[in-house]
Amino acid sequence: MSVALDRIFLDVEDPFIFPPYHKAAREPFDYYMFGQNYIRPLVDFRNSYVGNIPVFDEIREKLQEGHNVVLISNHQTEADPAVIALLLEGTHSHIAENVTYVAGDRVVTDPLCKPFSMGRNLVCVYSKKHMFDVPELVEMKRRSNTRSLKEMALLLRGGSQLLWISPSGGRDRPDPLTGEWYPAPFDSAVVDNMRRLVEHSAVPGHLYPLALLCYDIMPPPPQVEKEIGERRVITFHGAGLSVGPEIKFNEVTSTCNDSEEAKEVYARALYESITAQYNILKCAIHDKKGLEASTAEVSLSQPWNYEN
Ligand SMILES: O=P(O)(O)OC[C@H](O)CO
């Protein structure tokens, strides 16, 4: 905790300004390991699961071949990048350390969040959800997003990039009536833009659906807040991560009549895969079914030592 406070105060004295593309700061201070070490004690590894390790193997191979991979994901907490890296560090350290997160402005401006964000590769964007929070800033945000898109296109052109993006534009929240958490709906335009960026990069690219269940560890405030400075509550809890097979645009949309329909159908296919995987993680973690929650589509495992 004292290291976190040191880093937060250091940034208050000399604020770090994130460029549109930020490469994880690993030295002289290793912000990546700092984030890992802070979140690690919050993860109950005995009750945590990874779904479909062979698909992560396939992703590693594609990256080694120079292909680009995009993980289309739900978004649960500010700790998502650390949870992903912690659950994969034993088996897929290259993936754990090399994801580039498409990150909203809150994670690069909130003083409590900034030191953790500095340890991740980020493409910084202004989320549509917060685009109109301050009317005078709308134009600046749009220009900045254009710059970030160009950075992303450049990255993809170089190949071997692993991007993570949540097309919901924010964190999942519980259903107000049932209190049940579920992956927030996707903005199909975000999925479509990402897919087209990948296709236009002249390097083979692949989109995979990724499900995350870790809201207990650091739940978001019940409502989406405009102001920076939300209250953080942390808990020791099991977490889950699962990836589904690649979803190919041409295969899923072959019977669509036009591009608008195809856009919706493709986003829905990704979202449905994520929701199905999420429900299996929920069954394993919350319903305490553990590895027995595995199905033909999602094979759960615990690729770590409990001593972690
Ligand atoms: O509270 P939200 O849903 O706007 O989420 C904001 C950011 O995505 C936090 O990572």
Side-chain angles (χ1 to χ4, degrees):
M1 186 46 124
S2 68
V3 183
L5 288 175
D6 280 353
R7 290 294 137 184
I8 291 162
F9 285 132
L10 266 178
D11 191 72
V12 170
E13 279 169 10
D14 183 16
F16 179 77
I17 310 290
F18 286 82
Y21 170 55
H22 167 74
K23 196 96 182 88
R26 303 293 305 258
E27 53 187 27
F29 180 81
D30 191 342
Y31 281 89
Y32 170 81
M33 282 316 296
F34 154 73
Q36 296 302 96
N37 292 338
Y38 189 86
I39 301 297
R40 185 177 283 110
L42 300 177
V43 178
D44 176 2
F45 284 92
R46 283 181 188 274
N47 294 308
S48 294
Y49 301 91
V50 178
N52 294 338
I53 285 282
V55 183
F56 283 111
D57 295 340
E58 181 185 301
I59 289 172
R60 178 170 52 202
E61 280 157 28
K62 298 246 186 280
L63 294 169
Q64 281 164 352
E65 287 165 24
H67 297 194
N68 292 315
V69 171
V70 180
L71 302 169
I72 302 284
S73 176
N74 66 316
H75 175 25
Q76 296 241 293
T77 74
E78 293 171 325
D80 288 0
V83 170
I84 293 171
L86 285 165
L87 297 188
L88 290 178
E89 68 184 358
T91 54
H92 298 79
S93 57
H94 179 82
I95 294 181
E97 295 187 32
N98 286 286
V99 183
T100 296
Y101 293 88
V102 178
D105 50 307
R106 299 175 78 80
V107 301
V108 295
T109 50
D110 185 311
L112 280 186
C113 226
K114 282 177 74 180
F116 297 95
S117 303
M118 285 168 74
R120 307 288 158 187
N121 304 308
L122 304 175
V123 172
C124 307
V125 297
Y126 288 94
S127 150
K128 270 191 195 172
K129 214 157 126 186
H130 292 284
M131 186 57 84
F132 301 99
D133 284 1
V134 184
E136 306 83 72
L137 298 182
V138 175
E139 254 329 290
M140 178 282 288
K141 290 181 177 181
R142 286 204 171 117
R143 277 199 302 275
S144 173
N145 279 356
T146 307
R147 275 200 304 277
S148 298
L149 271 178
K150 282 186 187 154
E151 288 289 340
M152 205 143 47
L154 267 178
L155 279 178
L156 291 169
R157 217 172 288 162
S160 291
Q161 293 299 316
L162 178 57
L163 296 183
W164 176 99
I165 185 167
S166 179
S168 61
R171 288 167 290 186
D172 302 336
R173 300 290 199 292
D175 181 311
L177 294 178
T178 64
E180 280 286 310
W181 290 70
Y182 64 99
F186 285 175
D187 179 343
S188 59
V190 173
V191 176
D192 200 51
N193 286 339
M194 200 66 232
R195 176 188 64 80
R196 285 188 293 129
L197 259 181
V198 168
E199 280 179 5
H200 292 162
S201 73
V203 172
H206 313 272
L207 277 69
Y208 287 82
L210 186 91
L212 264 170
L213 195 165
C214 59
Y215 66 81
D216 309 88
I217 284 176
M218 197 187 282
Q223 308 297 333
V224 174
E225 294 184 359
K226 272 192 190 182
E227 301 302 323
I228 293 290
E230 66 189 53
R231 184 165 167 259
R232 266 68 174 200
V233 183
I234 51 175
T235 319
F236 175 68
H237 204 281
L241 169 72
S242 175
V243 68
E246 175 181 3
I247 299 188
K248 294 188 178 166
F249 181 75
N250 291 343
E251 288 176 6
V252 178
T253 62
S254 59
T255 58
C256 291
N257 294 315
D258 54 48
S259 59
E260 268 310 298
E261 186 189 350
K263 186 168 115 180
E264 298 303 325
V265 165
Y266 189 56
R268 199 181 317 134
L270 286 156
Y271 180 76
E272 283 174 358
S273 167
I274 288 161
T275 303
Q277 294 179 75
Y278 180 88
N279 287 336
I280 289 161
L281 294 172
K282 193 167 85 176
C283 185
I285 299 166
H286 288 174
D287 302 342
K288 307 269 182 238
K289 294 280 191 310
L291 297 172
E292 285 177 15
S294 294
T295 63
E297 285 73 37
V298 179
S299 167
L300 298 175
S301 59
Q302 294 184 299
W304 47 74
N305 294 326
Y306 287 135
E307 310 317 317
N308 265 352

Short mmCIF file of all heavy atoms in Angstrom, two decimals, residues 75 78 106-107 129-130 170-171 173 224, ligand 1:
data_model
loop_
_atom_site.label_atom_id
_atom_site.label_comp_id
_atom_site.label_asym_id
_atom_site.label_seq_id
_atom_site.Cartn_x
_atom_site.Cartn_y
_atom_site.Cartn_z
N HIS A 75 -16.00 -5.74 -19.78
CA HIS A 75 -15.10 -4.96 -18.92
C HIS A 75 -15.76 -4.89 -17.54
O HIS A 75 -16.88 -4.39 -17.42
CB HIS A 75 -14.94 -3.59 -19.55
CG HIS A 75 -14.15 -2.60 -18.75
ND1 HIS A 75 -13.20 -2.94 -17.82
CD2 HIS A 75 -14.15 -1.23 -18.77
CE1 HIS A 75 -12.67 -1.84 -17.31
NE2 HIS A 75 -13.24 -0.80 -17.86
N GLU A 78 -11.47 -1.82 -12.88
CA GLU A 78 -10.20 -1.17 -13.21
C GLU A 78 -9.04 -2.16 -13.11
O GLU A 78 -7.97 -1.91 -13.65
CB GLU A 78 -9.94 -0.01 -12.24
CG GLU A 78 -10.93 1.12 -12.40
CD GLU A 78 -10.81 2.16 -11.31
OE1 GLU A 78 -10.52 1.79 -10.15
OE2 GLU A 78 -11.00 3.33 -11.60
N ARG A 106 -10.71 7.96 -18.21
CA ARG A 106 -10.71 7.95 -16.74
C ARG A 106 -9.48 7.23 -16.19
O ARG A 106 -8.93 7.65 -15.17
CB ARG A 106 -11.99 7.28 -16.22
CG ARG A 106 -13.24 8.02 -16.66
CD ARG A 106 -14.49 7.30 -16.26
NE ARG A 106 -14.83 7.48 -14.86
CZ ARG A 106 -15.43 8.55 -14.37
NH1 ARG A 106 -15.77 9.54 -15.16
NH2 ARG A 106 -15.73 8.63 -13.09
N VAL A 107 -9.05 6.16 -16.85
CA VAL A 107 -7.92 5.41 -16.31
C VAL A 107 -6.58 6.13 -16.53
O VAL A 107 -5.57 5.74 -15.96
CB VAL A 107 -7.84 3.95 -16.83
CG1 VAL A 107 -9.09 3.17 -16.48
CG2 VAL A 107 -7.57 3.89 -18.30
N LYS A 129 -19.40 7.06 -24.17
CA LYS A 129 -20.27 7.19 -23.01
C LYS A 129 -20.01 8.50 -22.26
O LYS A 129 -20.91 9.06 -21.64
CB LYS A 129 -19.97 6.00 -22.09
CG LYS A 129 -21.12 5.46 -21.33
CD LYS A 129 -20.80 4.02 -20.95
CE LYS A 129 -20.93 3.76 -19.50
NZ LYS A 129 -20.49 2.43 -19.12
N HIS A 130 -18.74 8.95 -22.29
CA HIS A 130 -18.39 10.18 -21.55
C HIS A 130 -18.09 11.33 -22.50
O HIS A 130 -17.59 12.37 -22.07
CB HIS A 130 -17.19 9.90 -20.65
CG HIS A 130 -17.50 8.95 -19.52
ND1 HIS A 130 -18.20 9.33 -18.41
CD2 HIS A 130 -17.25 7.63 -19.36
CE1 HIS A 130 -18.35 8.29 -17.59
NE2 HIS A 130 -17.78 7.24 -18.16
N GLY A 170 -17.52 0.86 -21.31
CA GLY A 170 -17.47 1.08 -19.87
C GLY A 170 -17.61 -0.25 -19.15
O GLY A 170 -17.64 -1.31 -19.79
N ARG A 171 -17.71 -0.18 -17.84
CA ARG A 171 -17.77 -1.40 -17.04
C ARG A 171 -19.18 -1.98 -16.97
O ARG A 171 -20.17 -1.25 -17.07
CB ARG A 171 -17.25 -1.10 -15.62
CG ARG A 171 -15.76 -0.89 -15.58
CD ARG A 171 -15.31 -0.30 -14.26
NE ARG A 171 -15.76 1.08 -14.10
CZ ARG A 171 -15.40 1.87 -13.10
NH1 ARG A 171 -14.62 1.40 -12.16
NH2 ARG A 171 -15.83 3.11 -13.04
N ARG A 173 -22.43 -3.55 -15.19
CA ARG A 173 -23.16 -3.21 -13.96
C ARG A 173 -24.23 -4.28 -13.74
O ARG A 173 -24.67 -4.93 -14.68
CB ARG A 173 -23.85 -1.84 -14.08
CG ARG A 173 -22.93 -0.63 -14.34
CD ARG A 173 -22.09 -0.34 -13.12
NE ARG A 173 -21.49 0.97 -12.99
CZ ARG A 173 -20.51 1.49 -13.73
NH1 ARG A 173 -20.06 0.87 -14.79
NH2 ARG A 173 -19.99 2.67 -13.43
N VAL A 224 -22.89 4.89 -13.47
CA VAL A 224 -21.77 5.49 -14.19
C VAL A 224 -21.61 6.92 -13.64
O VAL A 224 -22.57 7.67 -13.55
CB VAL A 224 -22.07 5.54 -15.71
CG1 VAL A 224 -20.98 6.30 -16.45
CG2 VAL A 224 -22.22 4.13 -16.24
O1 LIG B 1 -17.76 3.63 -14.93
P1 LIG B 1 -17.66 3.40 -16.40
O2 LIG B 1 -18.57 2.34 -16.89
O3 LIG B 1 -17.83 4.68 -17.20
O4 LIG B 1 -16.19 2.87 -16.72
C1 LIG B 1 -15.16 3.76 -16.85
C2 LIG B 1 -13.87 3.11 -17.24
O5 LIG B 1 -14.02 2.25 -18.28
C3 LIG B 1 -13.14 2.48 -16.08
O6 LIG B 1 -12.16 1.57 -16.48
#
